[in-house]
Amino acid sequence: MDLLNTLVDKGLRRELPTREEALAVLATSDDELLDVVAAAGKVRRQWFGRRVKLNYLVNLKSGLCPEDCSYCSQRLGSTAGILKYTWLKPDEASQSAAAGVAGGAKRVCLVASGRGPTDRDVDRVSQTIEAIKEQNEGVEVCACLGLLSAGQADKLRTAGADAYNHNLNTSEGTYGQITTTHTYADRVDTVQQAQAAGLSACSGLIAGMGETDEDLVDVVYALRDLDPDSVPVNFLIPFEGTPLAKEWNLTPQRCLRILAMVRFVCPDVEVRIAGGREVHLRTMQPLALHLANSIFLGDYLTSEGQAGKTDLEMIADAGFEVEGAGTVTLPEHRADAIAAAGCGSHGDGGGGCGPCGSSSSSETAPAEATETEASEARTDLVAVRRRGAGTDLAPNA
């Protein structure tokens, strides 16, 4: 099909597709799905081969967030029965991180709920970063602490952080429907602060919140403009007790089309399958590895993922290999840009973790799921995390 040939050619040249081409990917039929995956897979292999980077989440502080992000189980007013605890001590966080590294994770993502850290919080996280680096030689650390104040990104960088995650989540035009306690501009500012401090920027999206195809394309093009090194693609986990608990709009096919569109728009960037892959991709997860070059190992912030051992088996069975600690994730031209710029604005990828996001209000209503895209509610696949960080039980890694 001419569209896919054009997109492959553009992806191999790192040329931006038109918005119409990106929308056309999302509009392809199920009969064309394998052709779409094969085309985007060519672009993925050009820049990342058959390597899969593993990342591991450590939830440093769970629940009790004052922000009102509608998708989040840790939000203000959430009645989801998640784990709630205050800051882990540096040695506790380091022990949790070590489990992920032992399971094959190359990067540890340190996440804390809340609007943003105080300077004391940054000092605490800095101690945690130093403890993790001391005990796990070569491990990369990404921090995800919410909105940053002046100077905080520099402190994290000095402590040894490699990256900072802060997701845009959805289009600027619909952010006001998702969050009212901070703005889309706040989030963009935090990503730019991280870049200016020499941290590798990680910023992505959440699909499945009732957004239109145009919204998805808008946020991916906004991310392309920000030029993060890593783009995590989250699929909404509709937690009972949150405003979006009834938003079951995704099918495995829809998820694959979204990942393909992201790959075409961001061909040489680390694309990560983040939260919700088990819930929405289900048995189609191996196909998604042909589109994304990075996943999270084991559990997420407040929900359980599939067994870490199953993740590793899936990667091997699909013909991919786990990326080693000594391998540079990003293509050579992006790695060269790091050395030239002396900063992390084109550095190695980051985590797909993170608190919440918002924008100015909008009158645009979320689109209703079509008959072909609507998915039946699989609440049986939404399992609250009861192990790992904040518990006495061994983590899933």
Side-chain angles (χ1 to χ4, degrees):
M1 113 187 246
D2 290 342
L3 168 68
L4 296 179
N5 290 334
T6 297
L7 288 170
V8 171
D9 289 343
K10 287 186 174 183
L12 298 182
R13 299 194 305 265
R14 293 186 287 135
E15 182 180 337
L16 184 65
T18 66
R19 285 181 53 85
E20 291 71 22
E21 288 166 342
L23 287 167
V25 173
L26 297 178
T28 53
S29 69
D30 287 351
D31 288 341
E32 299 166 312
L33 182 63
L34 289 181
D35 294 329
V36 172
V37 171
K42 291 180 182 178
V43 179
R44 180 248 202 265
R45 289 192 300 277
Q46 165 73 17
W47 302 114
F48 299 97
R50 302 189 72 85
R51 293 176 284 113
V52 178
K53 181 176 180 178
L54 298 181
N55 309 267
Y56 189 70
L57 284 167
V58 178
N59 197 355
L60 296 178
K61 180 168 73 78
S62 184
L64 311 174
C65 183
E67 304 298 286
D68 68 355
C69 308
S70 299
Y71 54 80
C72 187
S73 61
Q74 304 183 77
R75 74 187 297 271
L76 178 69
S78 170
T79 59
I82 62 168
L83 291 169
K84 296 179 182 178
Y85 53 86
T86 190
W87 291 93
L88 297 181
K89 296 178 181 178
D91 61 330
E92 295 172 328
S94 183
Q95 289 174 12
S96 293
V101 174
K106 181 176 177 178
R107 171 158 291 187
V108 173
C109 304
L110 302 176
V111 189
S113 63
R115 178 180 178 84
T118 64
D119 288 342
R120 181 182 178 186
D121 293 335
V122 171
D123 290 341
R124 190 196 322 261
V125 174
S126 295
Q127 294 173 24
T128 299
I129 293 169
E130 291 165 357
I132 291 172
K133 293 265 186 173
E134 182 178 340
Q135 297 178 29
N136 300 278
E137 184 177 357
V139 70
E140 302 168 1
V141 177
C142 176
C144 179
L145 312 173
L147 301 173
L148 292 175
S149 300
Q152 291 183 330
D154 295 295
K155 289 182 180 179
L156 292 169
R157 179 65 171 162
T158 299
D162 300 282
Y164 196 83
N165 166 259
H166 203 57
N167 296 329
L168 296 187
N169 291 330
T170 192
S171 68
E172 182 175 8
T174 57
Y175 250 108
Q177 299 172 32
I178 301 300
T179 311
T180 66
T181 47
H182 56 270
T183 70
Y184 181 89
D186 290 334
R187 302 192 65 77
V188 171
D189 177 69
T190 285
V191 175
Q192 292 173 335
Q193 283 193 55
Q195 290 173 319
L199 292 167
S200 174
C202 170
S203 189
L205 65 141
I206 303 173
M209 298 191 289
E211 69 281 337
T212 65
D213 285 0
E214 288 76 10
D215 289 322
L216 286 171
V217 170
D218 282 349
V219 68
V220 176
Y221 274 72
L223 289 166
R224 168 89 180 213
D225 288 342
L226 269 179
D227 196 27
D229 303 315
S230 174
V231 176
V233 181
N234 296 276
F235 301 110
L236 176 71
I237 301 176
F239 274 96
E240 290 296 331
T242 65
L244 298 184
K246 306 304 180 186
E247 294 288 339
W248 288 87
N249 302 317
L250 297 172
T251 65
Q253 295 82 3
R254 172 72 167 171
C255 294
L256 290 171
R257 279 189 280 270
I258 292 168
L259 287 167
M261 185 269 287
V262 174
R263 174 56 71 198
F264 285 130
V265 177
C266 305
D268 60 340
V269 168
E270 179 186 346
V271 176
R272 177 173 301 107
I273 318 170
R277 66 178 164 95
E278 298 90 344
V279 177
H280 297 293
L281 280 162
R282 302 190 286 274
T283 58
M284 301 283 268
Q285 289 180 69
L287 272 183
L289 295 177
H290 291 272
L291 308 170
N293 62 296
S294 182
I295 66 171
F296 279 109
L297 177 72
D299 293 336
Y300 302 96
L301 298 178
T302 61
S303 64
E304 291 187 355
Q306 66 186 18
K309 180 174 181 290
T310 302
D311 287 335
L312 298 176
E313 290 173 347
M314 175 183 72
I315 291 168
D317 289 348
F320 293 86
E321 61 183 18
V322 173
E323 183 174 291
T327 303
V328 176
T329 299
L330 293 174
E332 185 176 356
H333 63 271
R334 290 187 74 95
D336 287 346
I338 305 173
C343 71
S345 63
H346 295 86
D348 195 11
C353 15
C356 331
S358 152
S359 164
S360 57
S361 62
S362 168
E363 298 300 323
T364 304
E368 294 184 4
T370 65
E371 183 177 352
T372 57
E373 294 291 1
S375 177
E376 66 179 49
R378 287 297 306 273
T379 55
D380 58 305
L381 295 177
V382 180
V384 172
R385 180 174 67 83
R386 300 296 184 197
R387 59 196 174 194
T391 78
D392 295 327
L393 300 178
N396 173 26

